[in-house]
Amino acid sequence: MSEAQATIERPSLVQRFLDKVEVVGNKLPDPAALFISLLAIVWVLSWALAGVDFNAVDPRNGEALMVKNQLSGDALAAFFSSMVTNFSHFHPVGVVLVAMLGIGVAEYSGFINAGLRAIMAKTATWLLTPMVILVGIVSHSAIDAGYVLVIPLGGVIFYAAGRHPLAGIAAAFAGVSGGFSANFVPSALDPMLQGISQAGAQILDPNVVLNPLNNYYFTTASALVVTALGWFITDKIVEPKLAKNELDGDLSDLPTMEPLEDKERKALRWAMVSVVLGLGILFATAYPADSSWRADDGTLTAFAAPLMKSIVPLIFLLFLIPGLVYGIVIGKITTSKEFIEGMSKAMSSMGYYLVIMFFIAQFIYAFGQSNLGVLLAVKGAAFLKEMALPAGITITGIIILTGFINLFVGSASAKWALLAPIFIPMLMQLGISPDLAQAAYRIGDSSTNIITPLMPYFPLVVVFCQRYVTNAGIGTLTAMMLPFSLSFLVVWTLFLMAYWGLGFPLGLQASYEYLPN
């Protein structure tokens, strides 16, 4: 064996770092098991710290702040007697399942697939990159559809246009996963995060109520930022460097981006007509001053307004009605059994989510009852006040910390359920609203999705790359996505600071400051 053959090529710095991330990440328990462990830790800590004088005042009642022992007989009896309601009344569970019922019908009937293909077919060649990214962003409304549909289509579209297909995959991956929290179309993610944020805020202030679209204006504006930034990175940085990656896959076996058939176009037109009619009816019924959609004071955006309370059901209908119309016209849904099958298929994929939510609900209950969350918030706020850091630096720190944790814990809901009970009450003590804290979390969570092999769909994207470049691996994909990740993290953070500084609204009924009642 020659010396050259015996020499093992030293992995790059990025590869060595990712190897360590993978080793550490693989040692973490399953998210459900993680929250079982955290529940046990809360019980033990509450037992150990009960009766200790922390020289702190409970901001909720002005009394001395004491940790409550959750292993006492009364506390355990209360825990077990409320276990079912802890889960059934846990806000993220109901809203996500309701939204998924409508999305399931739209996905089952083929409405979402046809809509994405129609958008791509009418895109000019020079607009391929931003359109692929933008469609990837919009695909979040169908939860995982972007990973299995938009990302491989990105490669097909770029290859058909004579461009490097891996650049198309990178652009699509950047939109689907890197821009996960940048979307101008409401999705199940909005009420999911809002519900966890609200539960975290109510640890400190039980009267806090957040709107499911409390970050909507910011995420809408962020979609433009992510699209523009991703466009520049794809065309000017990533694609030129991919020139050395020769296409050696079996190109004859590649999937094709088939144009819509006449029956699909007809079904899509009728589906979009139903959307327009539905939105028109909603506008017509909400516009009158005496509309039943309005609150008693006549406003549409007040928390008490039925329209605001109906956001999740409206998301449900936004997908269910056109999905049903599309399915009927194209012949995919001909009986009530097939209609229900679409919903059932969506629910069948939510089993793991429900398991995680069950243990998250129990953890949040025990964490709140123990007063550990309030104690961390009060002491953490006191520490931050002593440091006298500007609020912008504090929020930036939250973004960076979230991005780092995301390398090990991929689930957006599980991670926020872990961080929200600590971050939100602590930041509320500093006068920072839960709405702003949630917006900061969304930036950190989205930006590093695309560089961690622990993200469930990361290996799938590697397989997509190998269709074109057979020796493509984790290092190839990471090298492609690292410029997106770092740029999104920096530029998106700066955008939030500018957005905040200019005083633009974050979303419906959202604020930047928290003012105790």
Side-chain angles (χ1 to χ4, degrees), residues 18-28 454:
L18 288 174
D19 287 342
K20 293 184 182 297
V21 169
E22 187 172 6
V23 169
V24 174
N26 287 338
K27 292 181 179 179
L28 290 175
L454 301 179

Side-chain angles (χ1 to χ4, degrees), residues 478-497:
T478 302
M480 285 165 46
M481 303 314 299
L482 194 58
F484 292 100
S485 182
L486 296 178
S487 300
F488 285 178
L489 190 64
V490 173
V491 176
W492 206 348
T493 300
L494 293 174
F495 177 69
L496 175 60
M497 296 299 110

Side-chain angles (χ1 to χ4, degrees), residues 446-470:
S446 295
S447 299
T448 54
N449 275 338
I450 49 182
I451 60 171
T452 172
L454 301 179
M455 198 270 288
Y457 288 100
F458 196 92
L460 178 64
V461 181
V462 173
V463 172
F464 292 150
C465 292
Q466 290 173 343
R467 293 179 179 178
Y468 303 93
V469 180
T470 56

